[in-house]
Amino acid sequence: MIGIGCDHGGYELKKEIEAYLDQRGLEYKDFGCDSTEAVDYPVYGKKVAHAVASGECEKGIVICGTGIGISITANKVPGIRAALCTDCFSAQATREHNDANVLALGGRVVGVGLALKIVETFLDTPFSGDERHMRRVRMIEEN
Ligand code: RB5
């Protein structure tokens, strides 16, 4: 199950991503928002992040205008490794190296075509499992 959420700046891109997930037959849970009416991105970033951290969702996708505010929000939740991506190389590397569990996108930054390729790359790339990457991922949660 993929958790997906956005603010008004990400709403239109979210609908495109949901159509893509439908086309692939991938299950998702939409945590809002539900229109382009102005809302506060932390509300939706937290909902998705908590769903991933609790195990309700395996991965999350969060979208705001830039992707910045909602990724900062998601990364405040313990266990969340949210990666703001604007290219496919980063989407692949953050799965392989960081085992990122939330993808953040900027609805006012990336076009739909690129965004869908980033989503595809993020969802289809496994964590490498290499010892050095596992060690570094563990270190993220240490104080
Ligand atoms: C909303 O106008 C905008 O600030 C928000 O979507 C996001 O870009 C914040 O980081």
Side-chain angles (χ1 to χ4, degrees), residues 77-128:
V77 175
I80 294 304
R81 294 177 299 282
L84 172 56
C85 293
T86 56
D87 64 276
C88 294
F89 176 82
S90 300
Q92 181 179 335
T94 198
R95 286 290 308 126
E96 289 176 345
H97 293 203
N98 316 124
D99 197 15
N101 49 16
V102 172
L103 171 66
L105 292 166
R108 296 172 183 157
V109 179
V110 287
V112 174
L114 175 57
L116 296 183
K117 270 286 169 200
I118 292 171
V119 169
E120 178 180 83
T121 304
F122 184 83
L123 295 179
D124 293 350
T125 304
F127 178 47
S128 73

Side-chain angles (χ1 to χ4, degrees), residues 16-36:
E16 297 283 353
I17 292 170
E18 289 180 347
Y20 166 79
L21 296 174
D22 284 337
Q23 196 187 308
R24 283 191 56 179
L26 295 174
E27 279 195 315
Y28 59 86
K29 180 168 177 183
D30 187 338
F31 289 87
C33 69
D34 302 315
S35 76
T36 54

Side-chain angles (χ1 to χ4, degrees), residues 7-10 38-39 41 63-72 106 108:
D7 76 352
H8 52 291
V39 292
Y41 60 80
I63 316 149
C64 66
T66 58
I68 297 172
I70 207 157
S71 62
I72 292 171
R108 296 172 183 157

